[in-house]
Amino acid sequence: MFTGYNTKKRVNERYRIVGFISSGTYGRVYKAEGRNGRVGEFAIKKFKPDKEGEVQYTGISQSAIREMALCTELSHPNVVHTVEIILEEKCIFIVFEYAEHDLLQIIHHHNQPHRQAIPARTIKSILYQLLQGLVYLHRNWVMHRDLKPANIMVTSAGKVKIGDLGLARLFYKPLHSLFTGDKVVVTIWYRAPELLLGSRHYTPAVDLWAVGCIFAELLSLRPIFKGEEAKMDSKKTVPFQRNQMQKIVEIMGMPSKERWPLLTAMPEYGQLTTLATGNARFHRPQGLENWYQACLKNNQYPPGSSPDTPGPEGFTLLQQLLEYDPQKRLTAEKALQHPYFAVHEKPSDNCFKDSKIKYPVRRVSQDDNDIRSGSLPGTKRSGLPDDSLIGRPAKRLKEG
Amino acid sequence: MAASYWESTQRKYWTFTKQQLMLERKKLEESERNLVNLYPLPDRRLLSIYFYHMLSKMARPLGIRQQALATAQVYVRRFYTKVEIRRTNPALVLATALYLACKMEECPQHIRMILAEARHCWDTSFTDISKIGECEFTLISEMNSQLIIHHPYRSLADLQNHFQLTQEENALAFSIINDHYLTDSPLLHAPHIIAITASILAVVLKPNQGGPQMNAAGVATVLQTLGNVRNASGTPGTQSRVQKLIDWVAESSVDVEALVECTQELISLYEIWESYTDKTCKDQIAKFVKARGLDK
């Protein structure tokens, strides 16, 4: 080793880069084909060095270490499969199985050119598969912490796969409170109320809130709580996400300590009470049920209970996922046992079954095909990052 | 995975039989025959003690927790089953393993702190963080990114209630687990085997006789009682706590052979510990590091 790190595998010897898919805070993702006997398509995530243009080894970021370790260890049909990890001259590549679609892309397709609801069967199958992946993660003490439509992959065979474990971590007896590690987790629109209220010791229930938000978004084709993120100030204190909390309360009503006994113990509880003053909608919230009924009507799901509508069972599931009190919120396991999945036919393990809708394939840009040297992230913007499709907030990751 | 040792990469790829481990190491030594002959080294267990002293010296001022230290020890042991030690600068490997382990155990330390502390504690010659950064690539690559370690501490926490260990016994069991990282046991046995062994030893040996000075008679008793289990001749109805433990082992499907093996590993560690001196290890490592310019 004194002679330096010896690369054993080379990404370009093993894969041919087809094009660039997306970029994010972590680095860039490329589409690739196998080479030299490796068959199939792949998505290769290239981590960006800690500092841009870094030519020296500076130590791998903790989130990259987490993702590498978890990807190596995890194996479930509803979690994106990791093919291999390549460490090559200061760069880290994680090679994943390729998925043609993701939920953001699917939602986007139904929004344009003219609005057309996602078939009820498709939604049910997506949720069913998503929850199975989540049960697996939680049973293995892994919190995802960044569930959102862009991170849920769907293969052309209709298999749903949880992706992007960049923020995921183990929660078995943490040595420090989770808050100390990452001050900000979960993209703002999918962030659970206990996180917004500054909870230090949050639980996997944060992932279930996000599932609730995703369910709502699949139904209505737009984010249910589309707040604006308050930026961190110069002192790097974490601001109270007033606007996001408002969006939630406008539909759900104010949380109460009767329904959520530990509410008053939340660090930002004081902030919450000031929200109500001078805002009429707080006292007359829309109510989740009204939101749900209006949504079904708008998107022309048939009334009553049938396989063609999420129906009344869909509402109670949504309600129990979007439960303020994290202790009362459904667990992934309990959610799978909800009547929503039991009425009518059994959810398919192919979410496109019986659907005539053809989804476009993933956009791949040709501008940047050089994964090895290539352009360093940030120096060249080609293609459209997934997150920017309809003005999505970027993932926020702040390491303490 | 984190919850299940049975599905883990630790079980699948990093748990060996004694023979497998011996063969791996022999292969490694054969491939570096000249080096091995040129630079003899003390017994692996003595080196492990030396490494442990180095690591804890560095971990203390940084306030690094025992579990991260243990993870680092396992990384070092895994690494040296794949790479001949005489080709490396052990100080760099140790500092890097600790740096990586802290990130994995969610108590990260800045790479500069690790470097500064290594230089302060060990007077190392490497002065640049890029050395640690590069060595991190080597470590991860040799371990195939399999970085999640299942420790016996969690099993011990479960057993503590089950066996009704006293506070002293629990503390002794804990320190026996700490000691087992100086042996090959982490590469040979499942974490629950080690935790059970530690619990039995803690109950059999009175806590005040613990540590490296454990008397051989006490340990022999353990082996004997375990032998009884194998012959299924435990006398039911006896109320002693040792007997209860033994009965439990007999009734459960725990691999008794593994418990015996694990106990023997520990005994031989405690025996060889008597002959340990810091200086021998230090000097012999320094010899090949200096001669081969590995510290540059």
Side-chain angles (χ1 to χ4, degrees):
Chain A
M1 130 193 356
F2 57 99
T3 49
Y5 172 64
N6 285 314
T7 300
K8 286 183 179 166
K9 305 186 240 179
R10 295 191 178 276
V11 75
N12 278 331
E13 279 168 16
R14 299 163 87 86
Y15 302 94
R16 186 181 74 79
I17 304 305
V18 176
F20 165 77
I21 296 174
S22 68
S23 70
T25 42
Y26 50 82
R28 301 162 80 79
V29 180
Y30 296 83
K31 182 177 177 179
E33 278 171 1
R35 234 182 206 168
N36 297 326
R38 258 166 294 276
V39 260
E41 295 178 313
F42 303 90
I44 303 183
K45 183 167 179 173
K46 176 188 183 178
F47 284 91
K48 78 175 173 192
D50 253 6
K51 292 192 194 90
E52 251 158 57
E54 196 61 69
V55 286
Q56 272 208 327
Y57 288 98
T58 53
I60 303 168
S61 75
Q62 198 188 4
S63 60
I65 294 281
R66 275 184 195 139
E67 188 165 0
M68 291 163 77
L70 287 172
C71 285
T72 304
E73 207 79 19
L74 296 171
S75 166
H76 186 273
N78 298 116
V79 175
V80 169
H81 172 67
T82 302
V83 178
E84 63 176 336
I85 297 177
I86 298 177
L87 295 145
E88 183 182 344
E89 280 152 42
K90 304 177 192 74
C91 284
I92 298 168
F93 304 95
I94 305 189
V95 183
F96 296 104
E97 64 177 317
Y98 180 73
E100 197 61 82
H101 314 281
D102 58 62
L103 289 190
L104 183 58
Q105 199 198 60
I106 288 173
I107 291 165
H108 190 63
H109 179 71
H110 282 270
N111 253 323
Q112 290 178 351
H114 35 74
R115 212 176 169 78
Q116 176 200 17
I118 304 178
R121 285 183 179 86
T122 301
I123 295 181
K124 189 176 286 194
S125 167
I126 289 171
L127 278 183
Y128 194 68
Q129 296 187 57
L130 170 60
L131 284 166
Q132 292 192 67
L134 204 53
V135 165
Y136 171 79
L137 291 182
H138 288 175
R139 270 199 195 141
N140 285 291
W141 304 95
V142 177
M143 257 190 256
H144 187 282
R145 307 199 300 179
D146 196 23
L147 289 179
K148 58 178 175 181
N151 285 345
I152 318 288
M153 307 297 145
V154 184
T155 67
S156 40
K159 302 279 184 259
V160 175
K161 310 216 170 220
I162 298 174
D164 199 344
L165 293 163
L167 266 182
R169 60 163 285 177
L170 300 172
F171 60 91
Y172 183 85
K173 285 197 186 159
L175 295 175
H176 299 292
S177 90
L178 297 179
F179 182 80
T180 337
D182 313 286
K183 300 266 185 299
V184 183
V185 295
V186 190
T187 307
I188 187 90
W189 299 342
Y190 308 93
R191 205 175 291 170
E194 64 270 28
L195 289 174
L196 295 170
L197 293 172
S199 173
R200 261 46 171 180
H201 293 279
Y202 50 89
T203 64
V206 300
D207 287 338
L208 276 303
W209 179 273
V211 171
C213 296
I214 292 168
F215 184 19
E217 193 163 335
L218 290 169
L219 293 170
S220 74
L221 303 176
R222 53 171 79 103
I224 179 170
F225 309 125
K226 196 175 172 182
E228 267 164 49
E229 179 156 31
K231 297 293 172 217
M232 214 167 286
D233 65 17
S234 52
K235 279 174 269 160
K236 297 240 173 159
T237 47
V238 182
F240 174 57
Q241 296 294 345
R242 175 172 292 272
N243 187 260
Q244 181 62 28
M245 198 66 220
Q246 272 171 358
K247 298 288 174 194
I248 295 173
V249 174
E250 281 171 14
I251 292 177
M252 308 289 299
M254 279 287 269
S256 69
K257 54 176 182 289
E258 286 72 37
R259 278 204 59 75
W260 182 3
L262 288 176
L263 174 65
T264 51
M266 294 288 147
E268 304 281 13
Y269 176 66
Q271 294 271 16
L272 183 67
T273 50
T274 67
L275 272 186
T277 41
N279 190 332
R281 290 179 69 179
F282 276 68
H283 304 291
R284 277 177 280 103
Q286 184 184 6
L288 188 62
E289 181 144 29
N290 291 331
W291 179 91
Y292 185 80
Q293 298 308 345
C295 167
L296 293 200
K297 208 171 147 210
N298 275 339
N299 287 333
Q300 295 166 1
Y301 288 106
S305 177
S306 78
D308 298 314
T309 172
E313 296 84 11
F315 170 67
T316 53
L317 174 61
L318 182 65
Q319 191 182 37
Q320 289 163 31
L321 289 169
L322 296 178
E323 165 67 55
Y324 271 126
D325 185 348
Q327 293 187 5
K328 292 195 186 114
R329 203 172 299 149
L330 284 181
T331 62
E333 221 150 49
K334 281 269 172 343
L336 276 178
Q337 293 158 15
H338 192 276
Y340 170 70
F341 297 111
V343 291
H344 313 299
E345 63 232 57
K346 194 180 177 297
S348 170
D349 56 7
N350 166 9
C351 71
F352 300 137
K353 189 168 177 267
D354 299 328
S355 168
K356 288 175 195 68
I357 298 158
K358 280 275 158 279
Y359 295 94
V361 297
R362 192 176 285 287
R363 283 177 60 180
V364 170
S365 114
Q366 298 299 321
D367 300 356
D368 172 19
N369 277 359
D370 191 354
I371 194 168
R372 257 310 315 174
S373 56
S375 51
L376 281 163
T379 55
K380 189 165 139 196
R381 288 254 173 250
S382 54
L384 195 57
D386 264 1
D387 279 353
S388 72
L389 269 181
I390 37 179
R392 306 236 145 201
K395 169 166 67 188
R396 297 286 306 274
L397 168 61
K398 183 79 196 86
E399 286 189 23
Chain B
M1 194 38 254
S4 165
Y5 163 76
W6 302 103
E7 300 297 317
S8 68
T9 53
Q10 178 172 334
R11 190 176 96 92
K12 278 188 266 187
Y13 305 110
W14 295 100
T15 305
F16 308 91
T17 64
K18 265 199 146 147
Q19 287 69 24
Q20 284 171 331
L21 194 58
M22 213 175 64
L23 238 95
E24 283 296 310
R25 284 177 173 155
K26 217 169 158 184
K27 247 185 359 207
L28 205 58
E29 280 194 358
E30 287 307 322
S31 68
E32 303 286 349
R33 199 20 75 198
N34 280 341
L35 277 181
V36 173
N37 290 342
L38 215 51
Y39 304 104
L41 283 175
D43 185 278
R44 194 181 312 279
R45 284 160 293 192
L46 295 176
L47 280 182
S48 301
I49 296 171
Y50 177 63
F51 289 163
Y52 173 69
H53 286 169
M54 285 181 80
L55 282 172
S56 35
K57 199 169 161 193
M58 196 175 139
R60 207 165 300 126
L62 292 172
I64 293 168
R65 303 276 296 263
Q66 170 57 31
Q67 184 164 318
L69 200 67
T71 297
Q73 286 175 284
V74 176
Y75 288 171
V76 172
R77 191 167 295 277
R78 285 183 177 185
F79 182 68
Y80 283 138
T81 62
K82 304 272 290 279
V83 178
E84 167 51 45
I85 186 169
R86 295 162 183 87
R87 290 177 50 84
T88 70
N89 177 1
L92 179 59
V93 172
L94 288 172
T96 309
L98 191 61
Y99 169 59
L100 182 59
C102 286
K103 283 189 279 190
M104 226 19 252
E105 297 297 341
E106 300 287 346
C107 53
Q109 291 284 338
H110 198 281
I111 191 165
R112 293 192 185 284
M113 290 297 288
I114 295 280
L115 178 72
E117 211 51 57
R119 296 193 65 192
H120 179 247
C121 290
W122 311 336
D123 190 27
T124 53
S125 53
F126 51 93
T127 55
D128 199 309
I129 56 160
S130 69
K131 280 281 175 201
I132 297 177
E134 184 169 16
C135 185
E136 184 179 31
F137 265 57
T138 310
L139 268 179
I140 295 174
S141 170
E142 290 298 339
M143 291 193 287
N144 295 320
S145 310
Q146 290 147 359
L147 303 176
I148 297 176
I149 306 291
H150 294 256
H151 289 289
Y153 300 114
R154 200 196 289 183
S155 310
L156 179 64
D158 300 337
L159 290 171
Q160 186 190 350
N161 294 321
H162 198 83
F163 293 157
Q164 293 178 310
L165 298 183
T166 65
Q167 214 166 20
E168 291 81 27
E169 286 163 351
N170 192 54
L172 179 54
F174 198 90
S175 69
I176 293 172
I177 291 179
N178 294 352
D179 290 343
H180 103 282
Y181 293 106
L182 306 173
T183 72
D184 280 333
S185 295
L187 297 184
L188 298 171
H189 303 295
H192 69 274
I193 290 290
I194 289 147
I196 295 170
T197 306
S199 304
I200 296 177
L201 283 171
V203 173
V204 172
L205 307 165
K206 298 288 167 286
N208 56 3
Q209 295 171 311
Q213 290 81 33
M214 286 195 176
N215 62 62
V219 178
T221 322
V222 177
L223 284 173
Q224 206 185 343
T225 39
L226 285 175
N228 288 344
V229 171
R230 272 182 294 173
N231 303 330
S233 64
T235 39
T238 318
Q239 280 311 298
S240 88
R241 298 190 48 237
V242 179
Q243 192 57 51
K244 265 193 186 164
L245 257 169
I246 299 302
D247 289 347
W248 180 86
V249 172
E251 280 164 29
S252 65
S253 53
V254 174
D255 179 358
V256 177
E257 287 296 334
L259 296 181
V260 174
E261 238 182 72
C262 203
T263 312
Q264 278 163 343
E265 287 276 339
L266 281 163
I267 299 169
S268 76
L269 168 73
Y270 294 135
E271 278 169 3
I272 201 168
W273 204 320
E274 307 288 331
S275 66
Y276 173 77
T277 56
D278 231 36
K279 196 172 174 306
T280 328
C281 294
K282 192 175 177 177
D283 291 351
Q284 285 181 277
I285 287 172
K287 245 182 227 161
F288 72 79
V289 171
K290 286 261 153 45
R292 308 197 64 222
L294 298 175
D295 50 349
K296 296 295 179 314

